[in-house]
Amino acid sequence: MPPIRIAISANYTAEPLQEPLTHLLGLLKIDDAQIEFAPFDQVFQTLLDPASVFSTNEHGANIVLIDAVNWSEDDTLHLATALKQSRFRVPLIVASGPGTPRLLESPPGFDWIEGDSIVASIEARHPGLEILDPHADRVARIPYTRAYFAGLALRLARAIRAKLPGLPAPKVIAIDCDNTLWRGVCGEDGPEGVTLELGHRALQEFLVKQRASGKLICLTSKNNEEDVWETFRAHPEFPLRPEHCVSWRINWDPKSHNLESLAAELSLGADSFVLIDDDRRECGEVRSDLPDALVLELPANPDDIRSWLDELWIFDQQGHATEEDLKRNQYYSEISARSRLERQTASFEEFIARLELKIGIEAIEELSLARSAQLTQRTNQMNLSTVRRSEEELRQLLDAKVLEGRVIRVQDRFGDYGLVGLLLLNATPGVLVVDTMLLSCRAMGRGVEHAMLREAAALASARGLADVLIHYTPTRKNTPARSLLDSLSGTAQAVDGGFLIASEQLAQFEFKPTKPAPLAPQAQKATAAAGAVQGDYAAIAALRNDPLRLLAELDQPRAGVVLAYGSATEQRLAGIWARMLPVTKLDLDDDFFDLGGHSLLAVQLLTRIRETFGVELSLDLIYSDKLTIRRLAAIIDNSGAIPEESSSELSEEEYAALLEEVENLSDEEVQALLSRDGQ
């Protein structure tokens, strides 16, 4: 897969967004993301130019940023028109600054983030915090403070995560009971002795809501099973009921073992699981022994649970819920019935015969696009190419006849599996290319995959194509896909990028019912040790959507960056430089521009100095001499810095007039003024 590309176009200087956004994407484990800014104030051109960074973006997201001061009502109407005319292969996000009017008519296909809501969330936590930066706006068209850019980054990163295909999307929430679902220990306090505080109620209501959207809920608790069921019976006011749970493991075994057991029962990988537990030791045990599962430690204070739940990005719905999502609990209840039948039959071949499987293969239609795209994003095991595609990207490829598609539906005597498979094909001279072939794990190992390959062979023969090229890209998780292709040995030829087989031979590919051998314990442990590429959602939740918490993380000293000596002011300046420049070592006389700085970073440096030291410095001093830590520290130390609370005595008009006066002074006049003030 190409690296994720975040293309940004704004009618103001938006580069200060890069630092907080890069940090948040790193927490999401999108470490290779490329953030690219379109030319300044070229929003309409970027939306409409077929050669722009938006139009050429094939994997990532496009972002439009608007500042109200530089935006008219006519511009808003023109934006609506441009958005209607624009068609991109990646999601589009539009974010407005404070006071920007919302579109009167919102075309479909993009998210709108209101700047006023960002300001409201910041001011709710930090009343009076500055949002606008008139000095930086006047100097470099940077209208907002770092706090606002951090708040904007939090909203954008969350929107990007929800829109990008292929990021982890959990299917199962495994939940502890004592001091998690309720307050107290049912085995010690008694079923009637546990209580439901507001935070625990919020958690139970959250779980019920997640179940309604298609998540599976499982209980995993170190308890006597009857004590847990008696607790539910004693508390009919609990929003979560036993019938909401598709399965459970209530015993004294390690929770990592219980999660593995649940995964095997549900035919899911451990990376489909999220464990929520209050016990730090239990959380640590699962993180260590089952790293593919995501572990979230419940806040110790029940009063913090509701706000913590609001910031769990991992549960944000990626696209709208499909019919299969809403029926998932029904599907997995049917899985239990199939498991009972399998235990009752003498052989796997008899089990397959008694299932009475029916496989339907049909062309992709508009109604099946969302589910088809979802399958590309979530299917890992029986996925030959592992190419992730959004719904819009898939629609464009099909409309342009670049690919043609088939979807696979399966039924048996117990019920409907739903839409579980996808074939994407491309007819080239002499060869039918299987670009994508994938099948949901709940339908694997029953001959459906063989029927899909025979369908590809039939389509090739109908078009007079002698061969079928099956694309295959090995991953850590798609071993079952490789095993399927290995069963073609003797007839398929390994070639660059996949396997080539004559369509006549592929048409004879028959399923021979053989129960897959379970992984040996050593192989299971090796798979778990490989670890899942999960985001640090616990760290993101700990930020609580608070820009100042995010800035505090960004302002942590960088490891390995050293200033060997210097005054307190020089050391603080070195810390600012180290966070802005790609350096590992600093000296008092290093020049800012020689270390990789540029004009825009220099403007941001002056903003950091104003925020840190309460000193307003003119942009002129940046270019009048070498910009070094020693020189800046001397100017700051001689300025008689005024505490921020004292500076508020100036009126807004006086403050603006003072800034204008200082900006118009020459460097010599500034130096003389600073020297005189320091006497």
Side-chain angles (χ1 to χ4, degrees):
M1 294 292 293
I4 289 173
R5 188 179 176 197
I6 309 299
I8 300 174
S9 181
N11 72 333
Y12 59 88
T13 303
E15 276 76 1
L17 181 64
Q18 180 154 4
E19 181 187 20
L21 187 57
T22 298
H23 180 74
L24 291 168
L25 294 177
L27 290 178
L28 290 170
K29 296 296 187 287
I30 311 176
D31 300 310
D32 61 347
Q34 299 175 352
I35 299 178
E36 184 174 353
F37 292 88
F40 173 77
D41 201 14
Q42 299 286 308
V43 171
F44 297 122
Q45 295 90 328
T46 307
L47 284 169
L48 299 174
D49 184 355
S52 73
V53 292
F54 279 12
S55 298
T56 57
N57 193 358
E58 296 186 353
H59 187 52
N62 293 333
I63 299 174
V64 170
L65 303 176
I66 303 165
D67 171 39
V69 174
N70 302 305
W71 202 255
S72 68
E73 186 175 339
D74 286 343
D75 288 329
T76 304
L77 295 174
H78 293 158
L79 176 63
T81 301
L83 290 172
K84 289 178 181 178
Q85 297 174 1
S86 304
R87 289 293 182 272
F88 306 118
R89 297 185 66 181
V90 300
L92 177 65
I93 301 167
V94 180
S96 64
T100 306
R102 187 182 176 94
L103 289 184
L104 299 177
E105 180 184 356
S106 297
F110 74 95
D111 283 354
W112 182 282
I113 297 174
E114 293 189 61
D116 292 329
S117 65
I118 297 174
V119 172
S121 66
I122 294 174
E123 291 185 338
R125 289 182 171 86
H126 311 285
L129 187 69
E130 291 184 352
I131 299 298
L132 301 178
D133 190 335
H135 177 69
D137 190 20
R138 186 161 46 248
V139 171
R141 293 286 296 276
I142 303 175
Y144 309 120
T145 61
R146 287 183 75 214
Y148 180 81
F149 277 112
L152 177 59
L154 284 163
R155 291 290 297 276
L156 288 175
R158 188 165 193 171
I160 290 168
R161 192 242 160 234
K163 289 288 188 180
L164 286 181
L167 295 185
K171 297 178 181 178
V172 185
I173 303 175
I175 188 80
D176 178 49
C177 292
D178 290 335
N179 289 315
T180 300
L181 277 181
W182 50 70
R183 184 68 174 266
V185 179
C186 63
E188 297 176 4
D189 302 316
E192 294 83 4
V194 305
T195 59
L196 189 67
E197 299 190 12
L198 291 178
H200 300 110
R201 174 174 288 277
L203 175 59
Q204 291 198 23
E205 291 171 346
F206 171 84
L207 293 171
V208 173
K209 183 178 179 181
Q210 289 296 316
R211 182 185 184 276
S213 70
K215 302 293 189 299
L216 307 176
I217 308 299
C218 294
L219 301 181
T220 174
S221 176
K222 286 189 173 180
N223 251 314
N224 293 318
E225 186 169 332
E226 183 52 35
D227 289 342
V228 170
W229 302 137
E230 182 58 34
T231 300
F232 277 104
R233 286 192 290 268
H235 293 275
E237 76 278 10
F238 283 2
L240 185 74
R241 308 306 306 163
E243 56 267 25
H244 291 143
C245 304
V246 71
S247 191
W248 52 86
R249 294 294 185 273
I250 303 172
N251 52 42
W252 302 99
D253 294 340
K255 288 195 174 174
S256 60
H257 295 182
N258 283 334
L259 292 180
E260 286 181 309
S261 173
L262 287 166
E265 175 187 326
L266 300 173
S267 299
L268 292 171
D271 59 346
S272 296
F273 281 71
V274 175
L275 171 68
I276 299 178
D277 200 312
D278 72 293
D279 192 313
R280 182 161 298 177
R281 291 172 300 177
E282 300 288 349
C283 292
E285 185 268 327
V286 175
R287 288 192 185 104
S288 174
D289 290 353
L290 197 65
D292 278 11
L294 177 63
V295 179
L296 298 173
E297 184 178 337
L298 195 74
N301 186 348
D303 293 339
D304 294 334
I305 293 176
R306 185 180 296 276
S307 60
W308 177 77
L309 291 170
D310 290 339
E311 301 306 324
L312 291 181
W313 297 7
I314 187 68
F315 295 114
D316 290 352
Q317 184 69 42
Q318 293 177 293
H320 56 272
T322 66
E323 182 181 354
E324 278 70 21
D325 289 331
L326 302 179
K327 291 182 176 179
R328 183 171 288 122
N329 280 273
Q330 174 187 333
Y331 293 148
Y332 282 92
S333 295
E334 294 165 359
I335 283 176
S336 298
R338 295 183 185 103
S339 297
R340 287 194 295 272
L341 173 65
E342 185 174 0
R343 291 192 295 269
Q344 295 167 3
T345 53
S347 68
F348 190 69
E349 184 174 6
E350 180 188 350
F351 165 66
I352 292 296
R354 292 181 61 182
L355 274 181
E356 302 171 11
L357 212 65
K358 297 178 181 178
I359 302 170
I361 301 178
E362 59 194 49
I364 293 181
E365 297 179 349
E366 179 66 28
L367 291 176
S368 55
L369 267 179
R371 172 59 176 169
S372 298
Q374 186 183 72
L375 281 171
T376 72
Q377 296 161 22
R378 296 185 179 180
T379 309
N380 295 307
Q381 297 183 60
M382 185 55 68
N383 189 336
L384 274 64
S385 64
T386 67
V387 175
R388 315 297 187 181
R389 291 189 169 102
S390 67
E391 181 178 349
E392 182 59 28
E393 183 179 6
L394 187 55
R395 178 183 288 107
Q396 291 183 21
L397 290 170
L398 295 170
D399 288 348
K401 308 298 183 184
V402 174
L403 297 173
E404 62 176 299
R406 298 289 185 274
V407 293
I408 290 80
R409 301 179 185 274
V410 177
Q411 293 179 324
D412 66 18
R413 59 183 286 189
F414 294 103
D416 189 348
Y417 293 59
L419 198 163
V420 292
L422 176 68
L423 272 174
L424 296 177
L425 310 161
N426 178 24
T428 65
V431 178
L432 180 73
V433 178
V434 179
D435 171 273
T436 296
M437 175 182 155
L438 52 85
L439 181 67
S440 171
C441 56
R442 66 172 178 261
M444 279 172 43
R446 296 173 187 179
V448 182
E449 48 270 72
H450 298 72
M452 294 171 70
L453 287 176
R454 290 198 301 272
E455 173 71 9
L459 291 171
S461 297
R463 290 162 173 74
L465 304 176
D467 296 310
V468 175
L469 173 61
I470 305 171
H471 274 178
Y472 172 69
T473 302
T475 72
R476 183 174 62 87
K477 298 178 181 178
N478 70 350
T479 303
R482 179 58 194 247
S483 298
L484 174 70
L485 296 176
D486 286 343
S487 65
L488 290 168
S489 69
T491 57
Q493 173 189 356
V495 297
D496 186 27
F499 291 81
L500 186 68
I501 184 171
S503 54
E504 290 184 357
Q505 292 177 315
L506 188 59
Q508 307 303 315
F509 189 36
E510 293 294 335
F511 172 53
K512 299 177 181 178
T514 304
K515 186 172 184 178
L519 283 174
Q522 295 84 355
Q524 290 179 347
K525 189 63 67 178
T527 299
V533 183
Q534 298 267 23
D536 193 348
Y537 293 96
I540 292 171
L543 292 174
R544 303 294 175 88
N545 195 34
D546 185 342
L548 292 194
R549 289 187 183 221
L550 174 55
L551 291 180
E553 282 195 8
L554 295 175
D555 290 342
Q556 290 293 317
R558 278 180 52 196
V561 180
V562 177
L563 181 64
Y565 55 92
S567 67
T569 301
E570 288 166 341
Q571 293 287 350
R572 292 174 74 187
L573 275 174
I576 295 173
W577 283 38
R579 290 185 292 274
M580 300 182 72
L581 299 169
V583 295
T584 56
K585 187 178 180 181
L586 283 170
D587 186 84
L588 288 176
D589 296 309
D590 287 335
D591 183 74
F592 184 82
F593 295 98
D594 291 343
L595 294 175
H598 50 75
S599 298
L600 181 57
L601 270 183
V603 173
Q604 295 178 56
L605 173 63
L606 297 188
T607 299
R608 300 280 187 95
I609 289 173
R610 185 174 73 250
E611 294 173 347
T612 304
F613 299 99
V615 176
E616 193 77 59
L617 300 180
S618 169
L619 189 63
D620 293 338
L621 71 85
I622 290 176
Y623 304 105
S624 59
D625 201 350
K626 289 187 68 176
L627 189 61
T628 67
I629 292 174
R630 190 192 302 276
R631 176 173 171 240
L632 280 176
I635 294 172
I636 292 169
D637 287 339
N638 290 327
S639 68
I642 304 173
E644 285 191 83
E645 56 268 26
S646 300
S647 65
S648 62
E649 296 174 2
L650 292 173
S651 69
E652 185 175 343
E653 293 77 10
E654 290 172 325
Y655 183 66
L658 178 62
L659 288 180
E660 185 175 357
E661 179 183 347
V662 173
E663 286 181 27
N664 290 329
L665 294 175
S666 67
D667 187 54
E668 291 77 11
E669 291 172 322
V670 171
Q671 293 284 15
L673 180 61
L674 291 172
S675 299
R676 184 170 67 251
D677 288 345
Q679 291 175 351

